[in-house]
Amino acid sequence: FSRRAAILFFGYAVIAFFSRNSPPSDSRQALALGIALSMLGLAILGLFEFARGFSGLGSLLPICTELFLSLAYFSAWRQEASRKASFG
């Protein structure tokens, strides 16, 4: 499972790297929201597995990282959405 997850995160890294300088657009908004929600889902799943006792303390660092990335992408999405709404 970890090899499959590594490829998934590599895909996210490639998407984020190549879209980093793209101009504001609906596509960039969709990428930011998609990454934010998937990271949030992974963090929630990790917390759930930790609470059930199926993962140890070593899973807290990835959970914190996923929460940070989720908040960062969600913040970027929200800033762009509010900027787009104000310029209408």
Side-chain angles (χ1 to χ4, degrees):
F1 180 77
S2 62
R3 283 186 229 151
R4 293 174 57 102
I7 296 299
L8 175 69
F9 281 104
F10 180 68
Y12 281 146
V14 169
I15 289 170
F17 182 77
F18 284 108
S19 65
R20 73 190 185 282
N21 293 326
S22 63
S25 66
D26 289 338
S27 298
R28 191 171 86 168
Q29 288 295 97
L31 288 172
L33 186 58
I35 292 174
L37 291 176
S38 65
M39 291 294 150
L40 181 62
L42 286 169
I44 290 170
L45 182 62
L47 284 172
F48 180 70
E49 293 298 322
F50 180 73
R52 288 180 43 186
F54 288 116
S55 63
L57 287 176
S59 64
L60 291 180
L61 180 61
I63 290 170
C64 290
T65 304
E66 290 158 357
L67 282 174
F68 172 76
L69 289 172
S70 177
L71 291 173
Y73 275 99
F74 186 70
S75 174
W77 172 80
R78 199 171 99 197
Q79 285 177 358
E80 189 62 36
S82 66
R83 189 176 305 137
K84 187 176 179 182
S86 66
F87 290 116

